[in-house]
Amino acid sequence: MTELLSEDKLQEVQEILRILDKKGENIIHSSDVMTLFQALHCNLSMNELQEHLLILDPQSSGVIKIPELMPFIAKRLQTRETTDQLIDAFRVFDKENRGLISGEELRHVLTRFGEPMDESEANDYIAEAEAKCPDVRANGEKTGMINYLAFIGVMLDLSEEEIASAGLQ
């Protein structure tokens, strides 16, 4: 999974891990996991931290082997990078910086940026966005716009906590 990281990002991760692995034993203390993710600018909620620790340190020994931690780091960083790229693509159309775009603007992004989708696939995504991520007035009436921050969470199949950690609320 570390192959998903750029060489620069991998070096950054390794440098932080070297600092946390004070004795060079290829381990870090479970109490340092939150610090690690914060240093990488990836926020974890306490629930996410506990979920990771249950998998990484099931016996609650207080130590985590770095090779076992790397897939978690790579996935989190990849999700963050993908999220940032999608936000940048949507912001091109969001002149008022409100987090909203029209269905036609969404179609433009989906069919022209990254790995372009065909019209049929784009239509499916737009229908899903309009159903799951509409902008709604205080009276409950839909505005016809799509909340692209919420839509990114749907596209990437992020949990509520991952959405909050990525700043997509």
Side-chain angles (χ1 to χ4, degrees):
M1 172 133 332
T2 56
E3 65 274 1
L4 297 175
L5 300 177
S6 69
E7 189 62 37
D8 289 343
K9 190 52 82 173
L10 186 56
Q11 286 177 357
E12 179 184 356
V13 169
Q14 289 171 337
E15 179 61 29
I16 294 167
L17 288 170
R18 271 193 291 278
I19 291 167
L20 295 173
D21 181 16
K22 296 169 183 66
K23 296 181 182 178
E25 298 172 315
N26 215 21
I27 60 168
I28 67 168
H29 294 278
S30 55
S31 60
D32 289 332
V33 172
M34 184 68 86
T35 303
L36 167 67
F37 280 97
Q38 288 171 340
L40 293 169
H41 307 286
C42 292
N43 298 321
L44 287 180
S45 70
M46 290 307 290
N47 282 345
E48 287 175 305
L49 175 63
Q50 292 305 318
E51 288 173 13
H52 287 337
L53 291 177
L54 284 173
I55 295 167
L56 295 166
D57 185 17
Q59 283 78 37
S60 298
S61 66
V63 228
I64 297 170
K65 296 175 184 168
I66 290 174
E68 294 174 12
L69 181 60
M70 288 304 291
F72 287 89
I73 296 169
K75 181 179 186 283
R76 187 55 162 231
L77 290 174
Q78 184 64 31
T79 299
R80 181 68 193 193
E81 186 175 310
T82 301
T83 301
D84 291 346
Q85 289 170 348
L86 287 168
I87 290 171
D88 289 345
F90 288 129
R91 280 198 177 136
V92 168
F93 299 98
D94 184 12
K95 304 293 186 227
E96 297 172 16
N97 199 27
R98 293 180 30 214
L100 304 172
I101 60 173
S102 70
E104 281 310 306
E105 291 165 332
L106 177 56
R107 178 182 315 287
H108 187 80
V109 171
L110 295 175
T111 59
R112 289 181 175 72
F113 289 94
E115 189 174 320
M117 294 181 184
D118 62 37
E119 286 295 318
S120 173
E121 192 175 16
N123 288 340
D124 291 344
Y125 269 93
I126 292 166
E128 182 175 23
E130 289 173 341
K132 293 182 179 178
C133 310
D135 179 45
V136 181
R137 291 188 175 99
N139 66 3
E141 181 181 311
K142 293 181 181 180
T143 66
M145 301 294 282
I146 296 167
N147 178 327
Y148 64 80
L149 297 174
F151 182 62
I152 290 169
V154 169
M155 281 179 57
L156 299 178
D157 195 28
L158 301 177
S159 69
E160 289 295 321
E161 293 195 356
E162 289 171 321
I163 289 169
S165 294
L168 297 177
Q169 290 184 326

